[in-house]
Amino acid sequence: MEIQLTLNGRPVRASIEPDTLLIDFVRAHGCPSVKRGCETANCGLCTVLMDGVPVLSCSVLAARADGHSVQTLEGLQAEAEEFVSFIADQGAEQCGFCNPGYVMNTIALLRENPDPTDDEIRAYLAGNLCRCSGYEGQLRGIRAFLNAKKAKEAEPNA
């Protein structure tokens, strides 16, 4: 079957098998940040944005993306660059395996809610599995980023 979608801002047309998963499609098209983890839609490692909404690409057929826009971390580097250092500063990227999923969900969260509470951050990131850091480092990093952003906006020359 033939599908056509926009992947990280560029049009892609491909012939696929009907059972091709979106994770396999995006990885085959140069997006290695989308990681295979649990393959049961429980860990968040395979998160991509489809039309701006986070989806678990291990549980979505590539055919469902036909006619849609799909973004991976490769296409969102500039937006991610704003806050990933804050997460790293909190020691929340020990092995780094879960980072792409956290970053993708954080981007979606901040687009939807630019000033979330800690509970809203926890709720939005609940589907991301992290075995190293205990989750609080990611929360502290996002909170530090938001606080720094507010402080910068409050500066007279901002």
Side-chain angles (χ1 to χ4, degrees):
M1 83 184 305
E2 190 82 16
I3 65 168
Q4 186 173 344
L5 57 98
T6 302
L7 180 59
N8 294 325
R10 64 180 170 84
V12 175
R13 176 177 284 215
S15 182
I16 61 166
E17 294 296 320
D19 63 347
T20 301
L21 292 173
L22 186 56
I23 186 172
D24 297 320
F25 182 86
V26 296
R27 288 183 62 82
H29 286 84
C31 301
S33 71
V34 184
K35 297 180 179 173
R36 181 174 259 96
C38 66
E39 297 188 72
T40 60
N42 285 307
C43 71
L45 296 178
C46 66
T47 301
V48 300
L49 301 183
M50 188 159 64
D51 296 333
V53 177
V55 297
L56 299 170
S57 63
C58 76
S59 65
V60 174
L61 292 173
R64 296 254 344 243
D66 186 32
H68 295 276
S69 173
V70 175
Q71 292 177 297
T72 69
L73 192 53
E74 285 80 7
L76 296 169
Q77 288 296 314
E79 197 168 347
E81 198 172 288
E82 289 184 65
F83 65 86
V84 292
S85 64
F86 287 89
I87 292 173
D89 287 346
Q90 296 299 319
E93 62 166 20
Q94 292 176 24
C95 80
F97 196 66
C98 66
N99 282 0
Y102 269 110
V103 170
M104 295 301 293
N105 277 299
T106 301
I107 287 171
L109 166 67
L110 297 178
R111 285 178 176 179
E112 184 179 313
N113 182 356
D115 191 22
T117 66
D118 287 358
D119 285 341
E120 289 170 328
I121 294 169
R122 282 186 192 101
Y124 213 91
L125 301 181
N128 287 79
L129 184 64
C130 177
R131 301 206 185 265
C132 297
S133 69
Y135 306 101
E136 288 303 309
Q138 285 89 350
L139 174 64
R140 286 191 313 269
I142 294 167
R143 178 57 50 213
F145 165 71
L146 292 171
N147 291 342
K149 189 175 176 182
K150 282 181 187 176
K152 187 175 182 177
E153 289 170 357
E155 291 176 4
N157 296 331

